[in-house]
């Protein structure tokens, strides 16, 4: 009976879902819809996640980051930027999502051909990439962004970083060709 007056308990009790693993299921389902190129459906599911788990800032941030990527795939730049602003207004990005946030930001800026603004996000995303394949791809994109800006020295450096990552032959060969061009 004494807990009924506790604000922390009231906040916990007012949530709609108590199973902590259900959040992962919802995120997995929305990501699967994104991977199947059903972007509108994935945006809808991610939006539902932000409402259902509104008391979990990490789940909301992750859902919004994926919404930005889905809006980017659809070419809906204004909506993607609006969601990015909501993420930034919500406060600090959770530690485990910094790389995804940087990648989503870089993706959106590259789509807008704002290569100069995308470079810091590409660098951060490449540093925080979870898999080797993703890190290689982000380094390659970084080299391409430098190339588009006309900065051949930094482009050469970005392409040379690809070779040192225990890279598969196909990727390493393409990076060497780009280095030769620069």
């Amino acid at each position: 009976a004494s807990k009924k007056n506790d604000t922390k308990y009231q906040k916990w009790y007012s949530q709609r879902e108590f199973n902590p693993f259900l959040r992962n299921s919802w995120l997995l389902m929305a990501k699967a819809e994104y991977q199947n190129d059903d972007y509108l459906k994935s945006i809808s599911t991610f939006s539902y996640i932000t409402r259902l788990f509104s008391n979990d800032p990490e789940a909301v941030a992750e859902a919004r980051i994926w919404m930005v990527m889905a809006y980017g795939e659809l070419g809906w730049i204004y909506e993607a930027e609006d969601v990015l602003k909501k993420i930034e207004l919500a406060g600090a990005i959770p530690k485990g999502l910094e790389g995804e946030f940087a990648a989503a930001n870089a993706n959106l800026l590259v789509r807008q051909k704002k290569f100069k603004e995308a470079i810091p996000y590409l660098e951060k995303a490449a540093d925080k990439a979870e898999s080797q394949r993703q890190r290689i791809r982000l380094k390659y994109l970084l080299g391409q962004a430098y190339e588009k800006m006309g900065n051949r020295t930094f482009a050469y450096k970005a392409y040379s970083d690809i070779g040192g990552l225990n890279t598969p032959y196909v990727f390493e060969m393409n990076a060497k060709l780009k280095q030769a061009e620069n």
Side-chain angles (χ1 to χ4, degrees):
S2 64
K3 283 189 171 185
K4 289 184 179 180
N5 296 331
D6 185 18
T7 56
K8 189 176 180 181
Y9 177 77
Q10 288 175 349
K11 184 179 178 185
W12 177 82
Y13 193 71
S14 67
Q15 67 187 359
R16 291 175 55 196
E17 185 54 57
F18 295 92
N19 185 344
F21 298 104
L22 202 56
R23 164 197 145 185
N24 297 337
S25 298
W26 277 106
L27 285 168
L28 186 64
M29 184 173 66
K31 289 176 184 179
E33 292 166 349
Y34 176 87
Q35 294 296 329
N36 285 333
D37 298 335
D38 195 354
Y39 303 117
L40 287 176
K41 194 171 186 180
S42 71
I43 290 169
S44 172
T45 308
F46 285 126
S47 180
Y48 179 73
I49 292 168
T50 62
R51 289 189 307 276
L52 182 62
F53 299 102
S54 60
N55 60 340
D56 184 355
E58 189 172 330
V60 171
E62 186 171 2
R64 285 182 174 163
I65 288 169
W66 279 88
M67 282 173 70
V68 169
M69 293 192 289
Y71 279 131
E73 290 294 329
L74 290 171
W76 298 2
I77 304 301
Y78 175 79
E79 287 80 2
E81 288 174 343
D82 186 46
V83 174
L84 277 176
K85 283 188 175 80
K86 286 179 184 176
I87 295 170
E88 291 168 355
L89 288 174
I93 309 299
K95 266 230 187 289
L97 299 174
E98 291 172 341
E100 284 185 36
F101 178 72
N105 243 322
N107 180 28
L108 191 62
L109 291 169
V110 167
R111 287 181 184 282
Q112 296 174 329
K113 300 193 184 333
K114 296 180 180 177
F115 300 108
K116 186 174 184 177
E117 292 91 355
I119 287 176
Y121 292 111
L122 283 169
E123 289 173 344
K124 187 171 188 174
D127 290 340
K128 302 270 184 182
E130 294 177 7
S131 69
Q132 175 193 9
R133 193 174 203 66
Q134 187 178 16
R135 188 174 300 114
I136 291 168
R137 181 65 190 137
L138 288 167
K139 289 282 187 180
Y140 196 83
L141 284 171
L142 183 61
Q144 288 177 321
Y146 279 128
E147 211 174 326
K148 291 280 187 184
M149 288 178 44
N151 194 337
R152 294 189 176 280
T153 307
F154 284 111
Y156 184 88
K157 170 78 171 93
Y159 291 130
S160 69
D161 289 347
I162 293 171
L165 297 171
N166 195 16
T167 310
Y169 177 74
V170 175
F171 295 120
E172 191 167 352
M173 186 63 186
N174 285 329
K176 296 252 186 236
L177 287 172
K178 287 300 227 176
Q179 274 184 301
E181 287 178 17
N182 287 297

